[in-house]
Coordinates of all heavy atoms in Angstrom, one line a residue:
Y238 N -23.2 -6.5 20.8 CA -22.6 -7.3 19.8 C -21.6 -6.4 19.1 O -21.7 -6.3 17.9 CB -23.6 -7.9 18.8 CG -24.7 -8.7 19.4 CD1 -25.9 -8.2 19.9 CD2 -24.6 -10.1 19.3 CE1 -26.9 -9.0 20.3 CE2 -25.6 -10.9 19.8 CZ -26.8 -10.3 20.2 OH -27.8 -11.1 20.6
G239 N -20.8 -5.6 19.8 CA -19.9 -4.6 19.1 C -19.0 -5.3 18.1 O -19.4 -6.3 17.6
T240 N -17.9 -4.8 17.8 CA -17.1 -5.4 16.7 C -16.5 -4.2 15.9 O -17.0 -3.1 15.9 CB -18.0 -6.2 15.8 OG1 -18.5 -7.3 16.5 CG2 -17.3 -6.8 14.6
T258 N -13.6 -9.1 16.7 CA -14.5 -8.8 17.8 C -14.2 -9.7 19.0 O -13.6 -10.7 18.9 CB -16.0 -9.1 17.3 OG1 -16.9 -8.7 18.3 CG2 -16.2 -10.6 17.1
G260 N -17.0 -10.3 20.6 CA -18.4 -10.9 20.5 C -19.3 -10.4 21.6 O -19.1 -9.4 22.3
L261 N -20.4 -11.1 21.7 CA -21.5 -10.8 22.7 C -21.0 -10.8 24.1 O -20.3 -11.7 24.6 CB -22.6 -11.9 22.5 CG -23.8 -11.7 23.4 CD1 -24.5 -10.4 23.2 CD2 -24.7 -12.9 23.3
R268 N -19.3 -19.7 22.4 CA -20.2 -19.1 21.4 C -19.4 -18.3 20.3 O -18.5 -17.6 20.6 CB -21.2 -18.1 22.1 CG -22.1 -17.3 21.2 CD -21.6 -16.0 20.8 NE -22.6 -15.2 20.0 CZ -22.3 -14.1 19.4 NH1 -21.1 -13.6 19.4 NH2 -23.3 -13.4 18.7
G270 N -19.8 -15.9 17.0 CA -20.7 -15.0 16.2 C -20.4 -15.0 14.7 O -19.9 -16.0 14.2
D271 N -20.8 -14.0 14.1 CA -20.7 -13.9 12.6 C -19.3 -13.5 12.1 O -19.0 -13.8 11.0 CB -21.8 -13.0 12.0 CG -21.6 -11.6 12.6 OD1 -21.3 -11.4 13.8 OD2 -21.8 -10.6 11.8
S272 N -18.6 -12.8 13.0 CA -17.4 -12.2 12.6 C -16.4 -13.1 11.9 O -15.7 -12.7 10.9 CB -16.7 -11.4 13.7 OG -17.6 -10.5 14.3
T291 N -21.6 -5.4 11.7 CA -21.6 -5.5 13.2 C -23.0 -5.6 13.6 O -23.9 -5.3 12.9 CB -20.9 -4.2 13.8 OG1 -21.8 -3.1 13.6 CG2 -19.6 -3.9 13.2
G292 N -23.2 -6.1 14.9 CA -24.5 -6.2 15.4 C -24.8 -7.7 15.7 O -23.8 -8.5 15.8
R293 N -26.1 -8.1 15.8 CA -26.4 -9.4 16.2 C -26.0 -10.5 15.2 O -26.5 -10.7 14.1 CB -28.0 -9.5 16.4 CG -28.4 -10.8 16.9 CD -29.9 -10.9 17.1 NE -30.3 -12.3 17.1 CZ -30.2 -13.2 18.1 NH1 -29.7 -12.8 19.3 NH2 -30.6 -14.4 18.0
G294 N -24.9 -11.1 15.6 CA -24.2 -12.1 14.7 C -25.1 -13.2 14.2 O -25.0 -13.7 13.1
Ligands
LIG44 N1 -21.3 -9.3 15.3 C1 -20.6 -9.7 16.5 C2 -21.1 -10.9 17.1 O1 -22.3 -11.2 17.1 O2 -20.3 -11.6 17.8

Side-chain angles (χ1 to χ4, degrees):
Y238 299 85
T240 297
T258 189
L261 178 64
R268 178 265 186 189
D271 58 323
S272 305
T291 69
R293 184 178 157 78

